[in-house]
Amino acid sequence: MKKYLIIFALCLVAVISFNGSLIKPVSGPRRLEILLLGHKAKNHNSEKFTEIVSQEFFKNGINISYTTDPDDLNKDNLAKYDGLIIYANHDQITADQEKALLDFVKSGKGFIPVHCASWCFQNSPAYIDMVGGQFKTHGTGEFETVIKDAKHPVMKGSVPFKTWDETYIHDKLAADIHVLTERMDGERHEPYTWVKKYGKGKVFYTAYGHDERTWKNPGFLKLLQNGVLWTVNDAARKDWEKLPKPAPAYTDAKLPNYEKRPGGFQLQAALNPKESQLMTQVPVDFKLELFAAEPDITKPIAMAWDERGRLWIVETIDYPNTVRDLKGRDRIALKSARTRTVTAKQINSPFLRTSSIFPPASFLPMEE
């Protein structure tokens, strides 16, 4: 009996390992996965910061997952990501969190502390050393970037920019930081953006980033994105470089202007399923697979899964401009995962033509 238990355990481990390899391929074209640790405070609005940065980075094949919980700094969770951005004010870090964070960077992953991150985890000298310095005090004002090392890879394509921001002064500067930009404070050359190595990993820090006046500045976004790409390890970067990055085309379009918005409208060209998958972010533990697409379905507007694993899809074939009488062609389609077939039932109800979302389960189910 003991022998069979051992065999079963070995088989179980093999199955788990095999499934894991399917969920997250070891190599190949893929998006970069970055975890961003923020906080719930609004003095540095990390939620808004994440929204702006995520939208900009996504276009270039970089996913950002957001959390405000320092407990997410653990070995198993961090292992899913290529890099970590911190934009937060968390005063303390536990011993377990500290070890997981330091080991993550030492192992060769990227670390990107931004702005207020240099005042995080004040009880950890090791964290302060890894960042390369600690915030000491600040004023406010508008100032222009002074590039110290234009030849560094992080500065590729970057140009000096002017922004209103908090005028950070730092303390406890590490001896091994390599300064990329400065802020002139009278005769004082204040380090404002720097990089350093930490174990096998890389660190990029910038003091820029108090609010939207900087977050939406193209110069800042370029600098930050370059910093992320520099910190991730070579294997991740090479896989990212192989990733196709669709750029949807837009054309002028004549569309109904019910809201009387000023100006014209832009219509995005349709993407094929493969391009759509490349433009979709899923959690790092998940893999996206095509389940249904045209011509099997037409103009889907709402969908829901039932307990049998079938997908109910509301198709608004006539919406918004083709219905001219009481007889419409809108319908509910049923997609079966088992048979890979689509069954459609036409619904000529005015309710369907005027309602965008309703529970498909409220209709009698159709047999497969």
Side-chain angles (χ1 to χ4, degrees):
M1 182 65 181
K2 185 176 181 181
K3 177 177 72 174
Y4 292 117
L5 288 174
I6 293 173
I7 293 174
F8 173 76
L10 291 173
C11 290
L12 181 61
V13 170
V15 168
I16 293 173
S17 300
F18 178 70
N19 285 337
S21 68
L22 287 179
I23 293 174
K24 186 147 183 150
V26 174
S27 62
R30 67 176 181 87
R31 303 177 68 87
L32 290 177
E33 298 290 350
I34 306 296
L35 179 64
L36 195 156
L37 175 63
H39 58 189
K40 296 179 181 179
K42 297 302 181 183
N43 59 318
H44 290 109
N45 193 333
S46 60
E47 185 175 352
K48 188 66 177 177
F49 170 78
T50 304
E51 177 187 340
I52 293 171
V53 172
S54 295
Q55 290 177 5
E56 180 68 21
F57 286 15
F58 183 85
K59 296 181 291 186
N60 203 26
I62 302 172
N63 290 343
I64 293 183
S65 299
Y66 179 61
T67 181
T68 59
D69 188 355
D71 282 337
D72 284 331
L73 302 181
N74 64 74
K75 179 180 178 181
D76 292 340
N77 187 51
L78 288 175
K80 305 170 187 176
Y81 297 95
D82 302 302
L84 171 70
I85 297 175
I86 294 184
Y87 184 88
N89 291 121
H90 295 289
D91 291 339
Q92 304 290 307
I93 188 171
T94 68
D96 289 342
Q97 294 164 358
E98 180 189 59
K99 184 178 187 315
L101 173 56
L102 299 180
D103 288 349
F104 171 75
V105 184
K106 286 178 182 177
S107 72
K109 299 298 184 75
F111 181 47
I112 308 97
V114 178
H115 193 62
C116 51
S118 59
W119 188 241
C120 255
F121 306 142
Q122 299 165 43
N123 64 322
S124 173
Y127 171 82
I128 297 168
D129 176 66
M130 182 170 69
V131 171
Q134 186 178 53
F135 161 79
K136 182 179 181 182
T137 185
H138 74 78
T140 60
E142 187 175 72
F143 53 94
E144 188 168 1
T145 306
V146 177
I147 296 178
K148 183 74 172 174
D149 183 1
K151 295 182 179 180
H152 194 278
V154 169
M155 303 309 296
K156 183 178 180 181
S158 290
V159 295
F161 60 92
K162 183 179 288 187
T163 185
W164 183 99
D165 213 317
E166 291 179 332
T167 53
Y168 270 26
I169 294 175
H170 301 87
D171 193 14
K172 303 179 183 177
L173 291 172
D176 60 343
I177 64 171
H178 181 76
V179 179
L180 301 181
T181 75
E182 297 177 330
R183 180 183 64 81
M184 296 305 298
D185 188 8
E187 296 298 317
R188 180 190 181 98
H189 294 250
E190 181 64 31
Y192 231 65
T193 303
W194 63 69
V195 294
K196 62 173 292 184
K197 302 289 183 66
Y198 192 79
K200 296 179 181 179
K202 298 176 185 176
V203 178
F204 167 89
Y205 167 78
T206 184
Y208 286 106
H210 177 68
D211 62 26
E212 294 182 51
R213 284 168 283 190
T214 294
W215 304 339
K216 292 183 176 180
N217 188 302
F220 169 77
L221 291 169
K222 176 65 175 176
L223 179 66
L224 183 59
Q225 187 171 137
N226 282 0
V228 171
L229 293 174
W230 181 78
T231 63
V232 299
N233 62 42
D234 291 341
R237 192 182 308 104
K238 287 177 181 178
D239 287 344
W240 169 81
E241 288 171 348
K242 300 173 188 174
L243 179 76
K245 302 175 183 68
Y250 291 84
T251 56
D252 292 334
K254 292 183 179 179
L255 298 172
N257 191 2
Y258 303 118
E259 297 177 336
K260 295 181 171 38
R261 299 181 185 180
F265 290 92
Q266 290 278 301
L267 181 66
Q268 178 188 305
L271 299 175
N272 62 43
K274 186 174 181 180
E275 290 172 327
S276 293
Q277 287 177 294
L278 291 170
M279 298 290 288
T280 302
Q281 179 172 347
V282 296
V284 291
D285 289 333
F286 288 76
K287 184 173 84 170
L288 188 65
E289 291 184 342
L290 179 64
F291 186 79
E294 298 85 350
D296 289 339
I297 58 175
T298 304
K299 294 175 70 175
I301 196 171
M303 58 190 70
W305 299 89
D306 67 16
E307 71 282 357
R308 294 164 61 182
R310 302 176 303 176
L311 180 62
W312 297 76
I313 308 170
V314 178
E315 298 180 319
T316 57
I317 297 171
D318 293 319
Y319 181 83
N321 297 317
T322 59
V323 175
R324 293 293 181 265
D325 53 43
L326 292 178
K327 186 175 181 180
R329 295 173 299 161
D330 295 339
R331 64 184 186 177
I332 296 175
L334 180 63
K335 177 72 175 177
S336 170
R338 181 172 60 82
T339 62
R340 292 289 179 181
T341 59
V342 173
T343 303
K345 183 177 180 67
Q346 186 166 318
I347 306 295
N348 290 322
S349 165
F351 168 76
L352 183 56
R353 293 202 300 273
T354 58
S355 177
S356 60
I357 299 176
F358 63 92
S362 65
F363 288 82
L364 294 176
M366 295 174 285
E367 295 299 323
E368 295 178 356

